[in-house]
Amino acid sequence: MILETERLSLTPLAVEDAPLVYPFMSDPEVMAHWDRAAIEDPDEVAATVAAQVAEMDERKAMYWAIRHAKSGWFLGYCELVDMDWRHHRCELGFIVAREAWGHGYATEAAAALLAHCASSLGLKRMVARTHVGDSRAEKVLQKLGFEEEGYLKGHVDRDGERRDCRLFGLLF
């Protein structure tokens, strides 16, 4: 399935997208607020993308490549993880290349995905988690209607450092 917005095209992430994912997953600034550090090895990124595609095949997650509709520029991806079909909920995440920051692409892509979740997937609740200090992601979530629901002390262990997270939620 392809989701389209005024400027973007969202398609299921494919194994062949790994070389396009590598530039931003290897960028320490882009990965600063993710659960894992930047990945320097292109083979590790390829293995990560292959694992994500396998999760999609098992209906455990969905990953959507974000491309600029006119140029085809690969901007990043949105993810729906921890899919709980019984309770109609999952977690939203998104990652966008640094060169694409500040243009509203994450908001536009996530809004299209949320609409799809509510109308076609039957999801009723979405959560999102940010590392404390990730004001860009928090602004995107607030624009999308998410509300802060909690503070998770030491929630993530990233390379031996305990990181606090904020939890956001949205009901459809």
Side-chain angles (χ1 to χ4, degrees), residues 37-83:
I39 304 170
E40 295 180 16
D41 181 359
D43 292 336
E44 188 177 344
V45 171
T48 299
V49 172
Q52 291 170 324
V53 170
E55 283 183 84
M56 290 193 300
D57 291 341
E58 298 169 5
R59 289 184 39 94
K60 292 181 180 179
M62 294 180 173
Y63 298 88
W64 296 82
I66 306 168
R67 288 182 173 82
H68 192 272
K70 290 183 182 170
S71 68
W73 179 27
F74 190 93
L75 302 168
Y77 66 83
C78 287
E79 60 183 23
L80 300 175
V81 296
D82 297 330
M83 306 221 41

Side-chain angles (χ1 to χ4, degrees), residues 59-61 80-92 117 121-127 170-172:
R59 289 184 39 94
K60 292 181 180 179
L80 300 175
V81 296
D82 297 330
M83 306 221 41
D84 183 339
W85 295 104
R86 179 175 177 263
H87 295 288
H88 311 285
R89 65 182 180 220
C90 67
E91 182 175 339
L92 171 70
C117 287
L121 298 180
L123 295 176
K124 304 293 182 200
R125 174 158 166 76
M126 186 78 57
V127 296
L170 177 69
L171 288 172
F172 298 123

Side-chain angles (χ1 to χ4, degrees), residues 8-159:
L8 306 174
S9 174
L10 282 75
T11 58
L13 192 66
V15 172
E16 299 78 27
D17 292 326
L20 303 172
V21 172
Y22 176 77
F24 55 86
M25 287 194 92
S26 64
D27 184 332
E29 192 173 350
V30 172
M31 298 296 287
H33 297 289
W34 274 72
D35 292 355
R36 64 187 299 174
I39 304 170
E40 295 180 16
D41 181 359
D43 292 336
E44 188 177 344
V45 171
T48 299
V49 172
Q52 291 170 324
V53 170
E55 283 183 84
M56 290 193 300
D57 291 341
E58 298 169 5
R59 289 184 39 94
K60 292 181 180 179
M62 294 180 173
Y63 298 88
W64 296 82
I66 306 168
R67 288 182 173 82
H68 192 272
K70 290 183 182 170
S71 68
W73 179 27
F74 190 93
L75 302 168
Y77 66 83
C78 287
E79 60 183 23
L80 300 175
V81 296
D82 297 330
M83 306 221 41
D84 183 339
W85 295 104
R86 179 175 177 263
H87 295 288
H88 311 285
R89 65 182 180 220
C90 67
E91 182 175 339
L92 171 70
F94 44 85
I95 186 166
V96 175
R98 189 165 17 129
E99 299 80 20
W101 289 358
H103 298 281
Y105 295 129
T107 304
E108 188 174 330
L113 190 54
L114 291 174
H116 175 67
C117 287
S119 66
S120 299
L121 298 180
L123 295 176
K124 304 293 182 200
R125 174 158 166 76
M126 186 78 57
V127 296
R129 183 177 44 83
T130 64
H131 287 217
V132 170
D134 190 355
S135 60
R136 289 179 180 277
E138 290 178 3
K139 286 178 186 174
V140 169
L141 295 172
Q142 290 164 352
K143 287 178 189 175
L144 295 168
F146 280 79
E147 296 179 9
E148 187 172 345
E149 294 184 345
Y151 191 91
L152 307 168
K153 292 190 72 64
H155 188 68
V156 172
D157 180 346
R158 178 166 153 177
D159 300 326

